[in-house]
Amino acid sequence: MSGVRQVVGMTGDEAVAHAVKLVNPDVVAAYPITPQTIIVERYSDFVNNGEVDTSFISVESEHSAMSACVGASLTGARVFTATASAGLALMYEILYVASGMRCPIVLAVANRAFSAPINIHGECTDQLVCRDASWVSLFGESAQEAYDETILSFKIAEHPDVMLPAMFGIEGFIVTHALERVETLSKQQVEDFIPASRIVRDRFCPDENKTFGSLVLQDYYMEIKRQQEEAMQNAFKVTKDAMQEFSELSGRKMEIIEKYQLEDADYAFVSYGATAGNAKAVVNRLRAKGEKVGALKIRLFRPFPSLDIFQALSGIKAATILDRSATFGSPGSIVQTDIASALYGKEDVPSLHGYINGLGGRVLTLPEIEEVYEMSKEYNNIGMTSTTDWVGYRK
Amino acid sequence: MTKEAPDEFSRWTKEKWGSSQLPMGGTVPYHTAYAYKTGDWSAFKAIIDKEKCISCMNCYYYCPDSAIIMDDNLKAECDMAFCKGCGICSKHCPADAIEMRRVTR
Ligand code: SF4
Ligand code: SF4
């Protein structure tokens, strides 16, 4: 680690804006939406004050924001944007264009519940439903992780073996607006970590005769899509390596999944985002009562770390999956079904108990988390290998 | 601007390249629309009678594929490599100089 470690009080949104400032991307095209607004507001201050060289494009919608990002990225520019909820849904069409045209755009998502009923608070459904869009997808637990993942995302997305866009999420208000302790990096550290400019294979410019976004029909479409899957597979190693390098640079351990007191555990919590903090707090409370329990936090959601999760949960009796996302008529909660697929047919794996909770910013308190833990144990005792419940609502 | 495809592109299509060989993201290492011979699937072609042409250039402006070229004498000509046979030029020709003829393959 080089440079002086500085500690600053910042909200999650501010942390993202300050991290982007260090990266100093060529273009930021964004449209404001609560609870993402502060990211863009702060960043436009930096642009206005001449603290960065970024071209800031004010657009009329998120569909336009992502379209402008694609256009800019194709010229070889380093591009950042941010959104939430309905904004991400409006971008959805262009998310596929961005990944399909291999634009390494970085997108910060201030995870927020979908309408209706309209609600502006934290929930991760918005980002989880983009799982098939061929974007690298990360979740952060705190303002610190928001700061770190901002910088990390550029490194992963722009890697020549990946060349896919990357999004990372922090929960609305719970992380975006909470003032926390953030250890910052120096400009020099970020410059050492991320190359000064992007490596560009195909540049959209008048001097290079190339056609971008051509019509590709039955005879070639599948081959082009297959390239994206291979890039996603490459993103595993690239992310692991990038996190390793980042850990050395920052002195903060960063892994695609974080294991907390899992070594000797019989039971485990699995979560992502801000919930992971509560899960760890509950582990401490339960450990004090003599329970052999640990927690697993998923930071990398796409590509899904199936093998790492299998290894981490192997030998565990029952896993309590805290999923702050809504899905209807599904065989399980969103992350639960992925974990179930990852573990299916393997020996020595836990029973999986998914809990849809915390929708629209609802808080699942620590005692309530202890209750669902007991539920999981009971399900396991009576031999139920897979259950899904809604918890923390009035019946 | 070249009208011919570079070697790489000819090989790509002839040899039916797969995902590991094709350029990333379907980006075509090739020239602008000028180089794509897109008129090969038309059912009709615009056949222009230069004798009748009064050089009004209606067809030139109306053709959605810019397939009409005005020759040195300002008479309309149709570039068959691009004509998709839509018949718009024929409809707009005030001199009845453009006949749509069915392509037999
Ligand atoms: S038939 Fe259509 S495509 Fe062909 S020259 Fe006339 S207007 Fe153009
Ligand atoms: S529209 Fe008819 S008359 Fe006019 S330029 Fe074309 S062919 Fe000639």
Side-chain angles (χ1 to χ4, degrees):
Chain A
M1 200 205 140
S2 62
V4 188
R5 188 188 293 217
Q6 247 205 320
V7 179
V8 184
M10 282 193 266
T11 66
D13 274 356
E14 284 171 338
V16 173
H18 280 271
V20 178
K21 180 181 157 190
L22 290 181
V23 175
N24 193 8
D26 303 299
V27 174
V28 171
Y31 190 82
I33 180 169
T34 303
Q36 153 268 33
T37 315
I38 299 165
I39 301 176
V40 187
E41 257 174 26
R42 287 292 174 281
Y43 204 77
S44 56
D45 286 346
F46 300 149
V47 174
N48 181 58
N49 299 343
E51 293 172 75
V52 288
D53 321 308
T54 308
S55 301
F56 189 93
I57 311 175
S58 297
V59 285
E60 72 279 25
S61 78
E62 287 85 357
H63 190 277
S64 308
M66 188 46 71
S67 300
C69 287
V70 168
S73 183
L74 289 176
T75 68
R78 179 170 279 157
V79 184
F80 173 83
T81 187
T83 193
S85 178
L88 184 54
L90 188 54
M91 278 182 181
Y92 192 66
E93 178 193 359
I94 314 302
L95 293 183
Y96 284 77
V97 179
S99 56
M101 295 183 82
R102 311 301 292 274
C103 300
I105 297 160
V106 172
L107 165 65
V109 185
N111 302 121
R112 160 184 156 181
F114 278 138
S115 299
I118 192 163
N119 178 300
I120 54 169
H121 287 276
E123 186 187 310
C124 301
T125 317
D126 54 358
Q127 184 176 344
L128 291 171
V129 298
C130 300
R131 63 178 176 223
D132 302 327
S134 187
W135 280 60
V136 172
S137 187
L138 296 145
F139 283 97
E141 179 191 330
S142 57
Q144 181 71 67
E145 292 193 357
Y147 186 88
D148 295 349
E149 285 180 14
T150 306
I151 295 159
L152 184 88
S153 295
F154 286 96
K155 180 92 166 179
I156 302 167
E158 294 176 9
H159 193 287
D161 294 344
V162 179
M163 282 294 284
L164 287 173
M167 62 172 84
F168 63 92
I170 46 170
E171 275 142 271
F173 293 99
I174 302 162
V175 182
T176 60
H177 287 57
L179 191 65
E180 287 182 14
R181 174 190 189 279
V182 176
E183 282 178 18
T184 59
L185 295 175
S186 68
K187 181 93 183 135
Q188 189 56 49
Q189 282 175 308
V190 173
E191 278 168 12
D192 291 345
F193 185 65
I194 299 171
S197 57
R198 265 181 55 197
I199 302 160
V200 187
R201 265 191 52 163
D202 299 306
R203 190 187 303 274
F204 184 62
C205 82
D207 304 335
E208 283 184 38
N209 284 319
K210 278 174 184 161
T211 300
F212 291 79
S214 52
L215 177 76
V216 178
L217 298 179
Q218 304 94 318
D219 46 356
Y220 287 102
Y221 185 82
M222 218 166 151
E223 283 71 21
I224 303 297
K225 294 321 264 185
R226 176 65 201 175
Q227 294 175 338
Q228 287 173 234
E229 173 56 16
E230 275 154 27
M232 261 294 174
Q233 296 303 329
N234 295 343
F236 268 116
K237 192 179 175 326
V238 170
T239 306
K240 278 190 174 174
D241 292 350
M243 284 188 169
Q244 175 67 31
E245 195 185 329
F246 193 91
S247 302
E248 284 159 21
L249 174 89
S250 64
R252 290 185 289 278
K253 196 164 181 224
M254 199 189 215
E255 286 180 301
I256 56 172
I257 55 166
E258 182 193 292
K259 289 170 266 187
Y260 184 74
Q261 305 211 28
L262 271 179
E263 302 78 41
D264 64 335
D266 289 332
Y267 299 96
F269 287 103
V270 183
S271 58
Y272 53 93
T275 311
N278 290 359
K280 283 179 272 185
V282 172
V283 166
N284 292 345
R285 289 162 67 124
L286 291 169
R287 282 268 171 186
K289 293 182 196 167
E291 292 287 320
K292 285 173 93 177
V293 58
L296 175 70
K297 175 170 85 179
I298 299 172
R299 275 186 94 163
L300 180 67
F301 172 63
R302 281 293 179 276
F304 195 71
S306 302
L307 188 62
D308 297 78
I309 290 176
F310 162 62
Q311 284 164 348
L313 293 181
S314 154
I316 301 281
K317 288 183 193 156
T320 298
I321 301 157
L322 300 172
D323 217 330
R324 188 191 275 273
S325 67
T327 178
F328 306 91
S330 162
S333 74
I334 297 178
V335 174
Q336 180 189 8
T337 51
D338 275 0
I339 296 172
S341 300
L343 303 189
Y344 184 77
K346 300 224 170 41
E347 300 278 321
D348 224 12
V349 292
S351 59
L352 300 179
H353 309 287
Y355 297 95
I356 292 176
N357 77 92
L359 305 185
R362 174 66 55 87
V363 175
L364 195 66
T365 62
L366 303 191
E368 281 173 322
I369 297 177
E370 281 186 43
E371 273 172 41
V372 299
Y373 169 77
E374 292 301 331
M375 267 168 85
S376 300
K377 277 175 78 175
E378 237 171 88
Y379 281 138
N380 182 258
N381 286 343
I382 58 170
M384 293 182 78
T385 53
S386 175
T387 60
T388 308
D389 292 281
W390 282 54
V391 291
Y393 69 98
R394 294 178 299 279
K395 290 198 172 68
Chain B
M1 245 183 289
T2 12
K3 275 196 166 186
E4 292 315 307
D7 277 0
E8 194 193 349
F9 185 75
S10 318
R11 284 188 48 216
W12 158 10
T13 46
K14 238 177 263 148
E15 296 167 13
K16 284 274 170 201
W17 283 8
S19 61
S20 56
Q21 291 163 293
L22 286 169
M24 194 187 274
T27 298
V28 183
Y30 190 14
H31 284 220
T32 58
Y34 198 42
Y36 299 104
K37 306 288 183 274
T38 48
D40 60 352
W41 46 267
S42 55
F44 291 91
K45 288 289 181 195
I47 309 298
I48 304 176
D49 183 347
K50 289 199 186 189
E51 298 289 304
K52 288 191 187 169
C53 174
I54 56 165
S55 307
C56 71
M57 290 181 79
N58 266 3
C59 57
Y60 181 90
Y61 289 113
Y62 275 110
C63 174
D65 289 287
S66 303
I68 303 283
I69 306 152
M70 303 308 289
D71 73 9
D72 293 344
N73 302 316
L74 259 185
K75 298 283 184 187
E77 223 170 63
C78 177
D79 188 339
M80 295 304 170
F82 294 97
C83 173
K84 293 197 183 72
C86 67
I88 291 173
C89 55
S90 172
K91 271 267 185 296
H92 286 280
C93 175
D96 229 353
I98 308 180
E99 182 201 336
M100 297 311 297
R101 205 173 288 165
R102 184 169 270 286
V103 178
T104 46
R105 287 200 176 87

